[in-house]
Amino acid sequence: MNQHDTPLYSALEMFYRSKPLSLHVPGHKNGLLMKNHNFFREILHIDATELTGLDDLHAPEGVIKDAEWLLADAYQAIKSFFLVNGTTVGNLAMMLATLEEGETVFIQRNCHKSILNGLELTKAKPVLLGPEYEKEWKVAGAVTLETIEEAYERYPECRAIILTYPNYYGMTYDLKAIIEFAHRHDILVLVDEAHGAHFIGGEGFPPSAVELGADVVVQSAHKTLPAMTMGSFLHINSHDVSIKKVVHYLGMLQSSSPSYPIMASLDLARKYIGTYTNEDEIYFKKAVEHFKKEVETLEFLKVLDYPNQEGDPLKLTIQSRCGYTGYELQQFFEEKGIYSEMADPNNVLFVLPLLKKGDKFPFEDIIAKLKELTIRKKESRADAHYFKKERISTLYRVQSQKEELVSIQDSVGFICAETIIPYPPGIPLLLRGEKITKQDVDGLLYLLESGARFQGGETLTEETMKVFHKLEDNDD
Ligand SMILES: Cc1ncc(COP(=O)(O)O)c(C=O)c1O
């Protein structure tokens, strides 16, 4: 077997070509009952189930086992898994398999909500690590080694550190130094690499957390590789992590009828990156550099450069030079049929295509449409931004406390009773159990005013939020 092989996808294709007669689930019968929806029907041809020859994700012995072996081979991991419920399920399984109730875990404050859900499930004791603030981008960046060292001095019992690498905007940092520090102190490093599945593509990409020696790494193949939505990878990269436990929790958390189209797309996505050549990379770099230069010629836009270390060339973050928020800018683009990945109060983020040599992408059309935009200068906004300053903090114990609604303005000093998450990017602004500061309130009002959307905080539009009735002792 080599990286050009696609055992699972090929088995599904062969199976469909053998004109099988379906007397089994799924109910669409290889797409037969969808005859009036041809567009959708095509994908159903491979929407199979655990039939002879098609293996079983939860006990792989055939084509899925081979496909996962090729995945581990591509990333040079000890063991790799296909995930059909995104990095979300990977993060949960990673935490459940490595953390016990009451164990101390360091968590990057600007983590994805799945990490916080994992915390609730494991009942581990979190120490939150505040990231650096990236001034020009007005976003949270990396957690530094200094912050981790300081946290370790206070909490030497730490069992694991959970980090996001890269961040949503493609920023990376010296993860290797952190991993070395952690391993010197017998601390596991668990990495949410949702945005970095393509990092093994070559020298022009930042190094993957797998290559840098993190113990477990979870990646959303669907975000940057050509995989279907919900398709992710989990890699075990250390003998200090129990494969058995990861299998146990993935079996518990994932459907017993995992989607074959998603799994097949993971097989193809692995082939895509596993066969990515130096020539592909040069071709990709040239195309995106050209696009970036063209965007830079548009006077109403500002293209941001990565702050320190190398960043991900697959991401492009832009700001308005005319006083518009990221959300407004995003709307201008959408009026021209250009859909971006995400907007925040200041930025719009593009996720570029991981082209292979000879691939065409309508960059010229995009530039032409951007040039059609006539954006008038707006009275400049005050240079507002939101950022939490605490470098090291913990959460309050909040079991069985009464909740109440207070106006956002009056919430300072209360303990927040809900996790409030601007989405995208899905990074919580306030956590359940976190003490609310004046800075949080200003940030929340600022985001509301800028047009941010939220998960949690259903009453925010009425300018109220849920808090706990009275303070509990800090569980520091
Ligand atoms: C940093 C990070 N981790 C995890 C996730 C969840 O990934 P998935 O959508 O694959 O479940 C996201 C999604 O945006 C993310 O940005």
Side-chain angles (χ1 to χ4, degrees):
M1 261 192 315
N2 65 50
Q3 288 298 325
H4 289 272
D5 292 334
T6 51
L8 176 58
Y9 174 75
S10 304
L12 284 165
E13 196 180 320
M14 246 171 57
F15 184 73
Y16 181 67
R17 289 190 193 291
S18 74
K19 299 194 170 60
L21 302 168
S22 168
L23 291 177
H24 55 78
V25 300
H28 57 67
K29 307 295 164 199
N30 301 328
L32 210 76
L33 301 193
M34 279 283 147
K35 57 181 178 302
N36 296 329
H37 304 280
N38 275 341
F39 182 59
F40 184 57
R41 190 180 174 187
E42 291 298 307
I43 189 77
L44 299 179
H45 294 162
I46 60 161
D47 185 35
T49 187
E50 289 77 11
L51 301 171
T52 306
L54 298 185
D55 212 357
D56 176 355
L57 179 69
H58 295 291
E61 292 179 336
V63 285
I64 295 179
K65 182 178 176 195
D66 291 346
E68 289 189 331
W69 183 88
L70 283 166
L71 177 63
D73 180 56
Y75 286 86
Q76 292 293 292
I78 294 172
K79 176 90 183 111
S80 297
F81 298 89
F82 285 171
L83 309 176
V84 292
N85 189 22
T87 292
T88 298
V89 82
N91 283 343
L92 296 178
M94 165 174 87
M95 292 174 72
L96 284 161
T98 53
L99 294 167
E100 299 287 337
E101 180 168 353
E103 281 185 332
T104 299
V105 56
F106 292 174
I107 291 187
Q108 182 168 344
R109 174 65 183 70
N110 54 330
C111 62
H112 186 257
K113 62 178 185 166
S114 53
I115 300 290
L116 299 163
N117 292 333
L119 203 55
E120 199 172 326
L121 291 174
T122 58
K123 298 194 173 71
K125 187 181 154 201
V127 174
L128 304 173
L129 307 179
E132 297 296 287
Y133 179 61
E134 295 301 341
K135 212 162 163 226
E136 191 188 2
W137 298 52
K138 302 189 176 79
V139 300
V143 167
T144 62
L145 177 60
E146 290 69 38
T147 301
I148 290 172
E149 284 172 340
E150 192 182 324
Y152 178 71
E153 271 180 32
R154 285 165 62 181
Y155 304 95
E157 71 279 13
C158 173
R159 163 81 180 129
I161 304 176
I162 305 181
L163 297 167
T164 308
Y165 168 97
N167 72 359
Y168 211 143
Y169 302 86
M171 292 174 192
T172 55
Y173 50 93
D174 191 357
L175 178 61
K176 193 172 183 353
I178 295 176
I179 292 172
E180 282 170 359
F181 172 83
H183 286 175
R184 270 201 305 279
H185 297 91
D186 289 329
I187 297 171
L188 293 174
V189 181
L190 314 176
V191 177
D192 174 349
E193 199 176 46
H195 298 275
H198 58 296
F199 281 4
I200 59 165
E203 295 290 309
F205 299 96
S208 162
V210 186
E211 186 188 334
L212 295 176
D215 297 273
V216 186
V217 180
V218 189
Q219 303 165 328
S220 296
H222 69 93
K223 289 191 194 296
T224 57
L225 298 180
M228 280 177 74
T229 296
M230 293 176 85
S232 282
F233 301 143
L234 184 151
H235 307 286
I236 296 181
N237 199 26
S238 142
H239 293 288
D240 294 332
V241 175
S242 160
I243 294 177
K244 257 192 180 164
K245 278 193 178 174
V246 172
V247 169
H248 172 76
Y249 286 111
L250 286 178
M252 184 184 282
L253 298 169
Q254 299 205 98
S255 168
S256 59
S257 310
S259 158
Y260 271 85
I262 293 178
M263 291 190 285
S265 80
L266 288 173
D267 200 19
L268 294 175
R270 184 274 312 148
K271 175 186 171 184
Y272 194 88
I273 195 66
T275 58
Y276 203 77
T277 63
N278 197 23
E279 284 183 326
D280 292 332
E281 192 190 333
I282 292 167
Y283 180 85
F284 158 77
K285 276 269 171 102
K286 201 168 155 203
V288 299
E289 279 304 319
H290 180 71
F291 177 64
K292 189 174 160 193
K293 283 212 174 80
E294 290 280 313
V295 178
E296 274 166 347
T297 64
L298 301 167
E299 58 201 18
F300 61 96
L301 295 180
K302 177 178 176 187
V303 176
L304 300 183
D305 285 319
Y306 286 113
N308 312 314
Q309 298 236 340
E310 56 178 347
D312 180 4
L314 201 67
K315 300 282 177 79
L316 194 68
T317 301
I318 53 185
Q319 291 179 352
S320 158
R321 288 188 193 273
C322 303
Y324 290 94
T325 65
Y327 306 112
E328 289 167 328
L329 204 54
Q330 186 181 45
Q331 225 172 339
F332 287 131
F333 296 161
E334 289 189 5
E335 280 161 21
K336 289 285 165 197
I338 301 166
Y339 291 85
S340 53
E341 166 65 12
M342 158 179 95
D344 69 25
N346 298 286
N347 306 300
V348 173
L349 172 66
F350 291 162
V351 179
L352 304 176
L354 187 68
L355 300 175
K356 285 198 172 187
K357 192 177 172 192
D359 285 344
K360 298 272 178 284
F361 192 78
F363 283 131
E364 296 308 326
D365 293 352
I366 294 171
I367 294 296
K369 285 188 183 265
L370 289 176
K371 282 184 177 163
E372 285 170 20
L373 283 169
T374 43
I375 297 185
R376 283 201 197 88
K377 213 169 166 73
K378 204 174 153 189
E379 201 177 303
S380 203
R381 295 179 300 147
D383 183 23
H385 65 270
Y386 167 72
F387 188 67
K388 248 179 137 62
K389 289 208 186 74
E390 295 96 321
R391 291 214 319 152
I392 298 169
S393 59
T394 54
L395 296 178
Y396 286 78
R397 275 195 298 266
V398 289
Q399 278 104 330
S400 70
Q401 272 179 260
K402 249 177 73 186
E403 294 171 7
E404 63 180 292
L405 274 181
V406 294
S407 88
I408 297 176
Q409 302 278 8
D410 295 337
S411 65
V412 176
F414 279 93
I415 302 299
C416 194
E418 53 188 344
T419 294
I420 297 175
I421 309 169
Y423 213 98
I427 294 161
L429 183 138
L430 269 168
L431 306 178
R432 186 177 151 90
E434 205 167 25
K435 189 168 179 178
I436 301 165
T437 63
K438 166 90 170 58
Q439 198 193 4
D440 296 326
V441 168
D442 290 347
L444 194 50
L445 293 173
Y446 165 60
L447 282 173
L448 280 166
E449 194 197 323
S450 313
R453 283 178 295 148
F454 292 88
Q455 289 182 354
E458 298 87 41
T459 62
L460 288 179
T461 46
E462 288 136 45
E463 299 196 8
T464 60
M465 58 194 286
K466 276 190 223 152
V467 297
F468 286 109
H469 194 57
K470 62 175 177 30
L471 294 184
E472 274 274 294
D473 288 336
N474 193 345
D475 62 356
D476 222 348

